[in-house]
């Protein structure tokens, strides 16, 4: 279980990002609000924190779609025909549902593998480029990490960099983790080992480790459970076409 201090910090981040009062975060009725943290994202984003979902829309679309989108979200954040009924031909794609989970010092579990696991340094740039070339562009976009301001954890196996996990800092409090593993070396726990080190590094820096993945991604969900990440919220996004 996440500590009360962790939950309080997470709640504080999300109420500011969504632009809602704390009293509405886990309300019993859905709420539609204009984008705050999403800026000019031209689509709908919905997130539920154990209560009814909060639906975020561009301000220009809130009056037109907000009431119907909130009612649809009350039926659960799943990908079905309700969103087509709300947005019609403007609906381009539904992304989700996704699970947002967190780990703090009381929940994160160590994870060991028969491989070298360490933080990368400048000398590892060629290995990082080789890993990027070994995975699909989509996989790298979703989970790849580059050496920069935040640490990157790497796992070396069979003479190659097999997996990396890094993070992006959100709101000076949350470490949003990403992970990518060579396709030919999956199924050996290498990705989980990289996430474990990246998450521990984030906690040591005073951050809360965040792991977000599609609920349908069973292997990614298994990593989260194995490492002690605790479910906090569910989300769903709807991409919309222009008029």
């Amino acid at each position: 279980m996440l500590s009360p201090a962790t939950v309080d910090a997470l709640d504080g981040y999300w109420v500011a990002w969504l632009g809602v009062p704390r009293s509405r975060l886990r309300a019993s009725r859905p709420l539609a609000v204009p984008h705050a943290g999403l800026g000019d994202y031209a689509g709908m984003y919905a997130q539920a924190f154990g209560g009814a979902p909060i639906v975020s829309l561009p301000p220009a679309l809130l009056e037109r779609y907000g009431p119907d989108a909130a009612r649809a979200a009350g039926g659960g954040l799943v990908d079905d025909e309700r969103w087509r009924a709300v947005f019609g031909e403007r609906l381009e794609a539904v992304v989700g549902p996704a699970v947002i989970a967190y780990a703090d010092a009381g929940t994160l579990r160590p994870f060991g593998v028969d491989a070298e696991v360490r933080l990368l340094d400048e000398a590892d740039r060629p290995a990082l480029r080789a890993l990027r070339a070994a995975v699909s562009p989509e996989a790298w976009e979703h989970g790849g990490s580059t050496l920069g301001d935040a640490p990157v954890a790497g796992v070396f196996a069979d003479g190659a960099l097999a997996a990396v996990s890094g993070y992006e800092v959100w709101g000076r409090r949350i470490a949003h983790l990403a992970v990518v593993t060579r396709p030919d070396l999956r199924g050996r726990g290498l990705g989980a080992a990289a996430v474990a080190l990246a998450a521990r590094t984030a906690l040591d820096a005073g951050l809360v480790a965040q792991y977000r993945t599609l609920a349908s991604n069973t292997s990614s969900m298994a990593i989260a459970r194995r490492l002690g990440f605790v479910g906090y919220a569910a989300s769903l996004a709807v991409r919309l076409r222009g008029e």
Side-chain angles (χ1 to χ4, degrees), residues 68-124:
D68 288 340
R71 279 192 290 271
L77 299 183
V78 295
D79 181 5
D80 61 20
E81 288 303 309
R82 284 175 298 142
W83 309 110
R84 177 72 63 184
V86 172
F87 297 107
E89 293 305 311
R90 291 200 64 177
L91 188 149
E92 180 177 337
V94 178
V95 182
V99 174
I100 302 171
Y102 293 95
D104 62 15
T107 71
L108 185 66
R109 302 188 192 111
F111 187 84
V113 291
D114 185 17
E116 180 187 3
V117 185
R118 61 173 173 83
L119 296 179
L120 302 185
D121 58 31
E122 288 296 321
D124 296 309

Side-chain angles (χ1 to χ4, degrees), residues 187-207:
R188 295 168 52 178
L190 305 178
V195 172
L197 177 54
R200 173 53 59 191
T201 304
L203 297 188
D204 290 345
L207 303 169

Side-chain angles (χ1 to χ4, degrees), residues 55-75:
V55 175
S56 180
L57 284 159
L61 301 181
L62 186 63
E63 182 177 356
R64 179 176 178 182
Y65 294 114
D68 288 340
R71 279 192 290 271

